[in-house]
Amino acid sequence: YVDMGSTRRARVHKRVAEALEALCGTNPGTRVGELARHWTAAIQPIDLDKAIAYSRQAGDAALQSLAPHDALRYYTQALELARRADQPDQVLGIDLAIGLGVAQRQTGDPAFRETLLGAAHQAAGIGETKRLVAAAMANDRGFSVLGTVDADKVEILEVALGRLPEDHPDRALVLAKLCQDLTYGSPLERRQALAEEAIAIANASGDDATIVRVLNHISYPLLVPPLLDQSLSISAEAMARAEHLGDPVLRFWAASQRHTAAACSGNMDEVDHCLELLGELAAQLNQPTLNWRHTAMRATRAQLAGDTARAEELATEAFQIANGGGEPDAAALFGTQIMSVNLQRGTLVELVPLIEQVAAEHPGVTSFMAALAMAHVEGGQIDAACGLLQKFFASGLDMPVDATWTMGMHCYAEAAMECRDLTCAAPLLDQLRPWADHLSYSGVSTAGPVVHVLGGLASVLGRFDEAEAYFAQSSALSARIGAKFFAARTDLSWGRMLVERRGPGDLDRARDLLAKAHGAAKAHGYGVVERRAADALQQVDR
């Protein structure tokens, strides 16, 4: 073969390609890759169309076979061949670009965004609405970039909506995708309206795949406390329908959304079931974004368990996957997870410069400023924390109602507890009280039971009986879900409240709770809890 001249070699490739066609007929099946290779090597002007067609078919087959690296090679080859045509086929070029963009996304190449935006604009320019929708929907890693709105993607989705009939099933998909891309920086009411219209059209279509895709897209944008029951229902339906379909990608995203909603409700059995399923599907699909998502979720689960070493290990592994894949928010999400680890270790104050930087880079995530306030109080910088609390109070407790709302309010509440800020404590208590049975859990990080800060805020306000009821509820919830750090933190706050109240038997009970908190903190390395518990124990006998 090596000794053949290029002309003879091309003729031999053509003979092999023709022989394969004679054997395979119109359905080459698994041999389509061989046909693509031989027709490409046999290339002459008369054979160009066949080489392109088989390369495209090979790319399509590779995607179907969960082999995106092979697909990437075939689509790249097809596009290079298509450029040689005297009169390039625009529609074919768009189709090949969409295939290339999907393969890039699945292999972790961040160029997928620009590839698919380009394909969408080309489709829009020649009135190819079907391909416009296909390109817009393919430009999706499964969730929006933290704290930002991708204006270019939103614009394309809105163009697509303007060209689709009101009852077209594709309209449901575009509406749901737009809802997802507006997770941050948009009013909840707009996301709800988009979701409701998408669900209605999808249900009317009767197509399970469309319904699951819609439900998967709208779940996280609507994951806010007032809609938690709806999120649980949506994610359960998506899981059931995806299981019936058997599509591993749809099953992965359904389980991902179900995991986070279940965690917010405190259902750890369901969380662990979802994580196990996600692990199996991520291993089967082996796509960088899915591996990142699963690993980051495991890190958050370790945070909740109070296992700081495991949480840090998994967060670092997740960051390495995301950074290698060029994920635009890899550093911000890693920073968020490391903040939670340092909070539990009692070293959060060391990250103040990092938190300030992340907050400045992501102004759409106002919970970062709340985390900064908590970092200041954890490090004893009370004046700095009080200043941030007062700015928050002056804004009218303005916190965007998105999936980070509970985390942000929780962090401000923790700061108000340590600052003894009566001004902020009352409105924070009022806003968080309806969600006493929820966990602060964003999927990336967790701040534990909401009811814990309700107890702390009630203590600041001198409503000790109310505080005790909240602390008892927080203690029981932390024990049930195996949250060691949050159990110790609740024992600490409860004991300190009893020392302050000093009712009959309070000091003895306080001593027991504080000793328990101190022992757990010392055993697991919860630095601030250990120090505060030791200080509080000294006050018991004063």
Side-chain angles (χ1 to χ4, degrees), residues 152-175:
D152 294 331
K153 289 167 67 175
V154 167
E155 178 188 8
I156 282 294
L157 291 167
E158 290 176 336
V159 169
L161 281 178
R163 299 187 182 186
L164 287 167
E166 291 188 0
D167 59 349
H168 197 288
D170 282 352
R171 185 176 179 85
L173 297 174
V174 175
L175 286 163

Side-chain angles (χ1 to χ4, degrees), residues 49-248:
D49 289 345
K50 281 194 174 184
I52 295 169
Y54 281 123
S55 296
R56 177 187 179 182
Q57 288 180 49
D60 294 345
L63 284 182
Q64 288 293 321
S65 302
L66 306 180
H69 288 280
D70 291 341
L72 185 64
R73 184 175 73 253
Y74 286 126
Y75 287 125
T76 300
Q77 177 176 287
L79 278 165
E80 290 173 352
L81 292 169
R83 294 189 187 103
R84 301 187 196 177
D86 293 333
Q87 295 182 330
D89 184 335
Q90 281 188 287
V91 171
L92 174 63
I94 292 168
D95 289 341
L96 294 175
I98 292 172
L100 176 65
V102 172
Q104 288 173 328
R105 191 192 73 229
Q106 292 185 5
T107 55
D109 182 350
F112 79 85
R113 177 184 177 277
E114 293 304 321
T115 298
L116 291 166
L117 278 174
H121 282 294
Q122 289 177 38
I126 62 173
E128 280 285 342
T129 300
K130 181 178 179 180
R131 289 170 171 84
L132 164 60
V133 170
M137 294 305 300
N139 208 345
D140 174 27
R141 63 176 188 166
F143 52 100
S144 59
V145 176
L146 180 66
T148 64
V149 174
D150 190 325
D152 294 331
K153 289 167 67 175
V154 167
E155 178 188 8
I156 282 294
L157 291 167
E158 290 176 336
V159 169
L161 281 178
R163 299 187 182 186
L164 287 167
E166 291 188 0
D167 59 349
H168 197 288
D170 282 352
R171 185 176 179 85
L173 297 174
V174 175
L175 286 163
K177 182 69 173 63
L178 182 58
C179 178
Q180 181 192 74
D181 283 347
L182 294 174
T183 295
Y184 305 101
S186 69
L188 175 61
E189 293 76 16
R190 185 180 183 195
R191 302 197 300 275
Q192 284 181 281
L194 292 168
E196 288 169 4
E197 185 181 352
I199 290 173
I201 298 171
N203 286 338
S205 77
D207 181 66
D208 270 354
T210 298
I211 294 170
V212 174
R213 291 177 71 186
V214 164
L215 296 178
N216 284 348
H217 278 113
I218 68 172
S219 183
Y220 196 73
L222 301 184
L223 188 59
V224 296
L227 302 179
L228 179 57
D229 288 344
Q230 180 183 354
S231 293
L232 290 167
S233 176
I234 285 172
S235 60
E237 181 182 354
M239 285 271 287
R241 289 181 183 269
E243 181 71 27
H244 174 72
L245 289 167
D247 184 309

Side-chain angles (χ1 to χ4, degrees), residues 146 303 308 311-312 315 331-362 365 367-375 378 407 411 444-447 485-486 489:
L146 180 66
Q303 291 173 28
T308 58
E312 181 177 31
L333 292 176
F334 174 64
T336 299
Q337 295 203 309
I338 291 302
M339 287 178 209
S340 294
V341 170
N342 281 47
L343 168 67
Q344 296 189 6
R345 288 178 174 165
T347 55
L348 184 60
V349 68
E350 296 174 6
L351 297 185
V352 164
L354 170 65
I355 300 171
E356 289 175 336
Q357 177 184 340
V358 172
E361 292 173 351
H362 297 81
V365 187
S367 58
F368 283 137
M369 292 304 295
L372 181 60
M374 188 165 68
E378 291 294 305
M407 289 290 298
C411 290
V444 176
S445 62
T446 179
F485 171 77
F486 297 113
R489 199 173 178 94

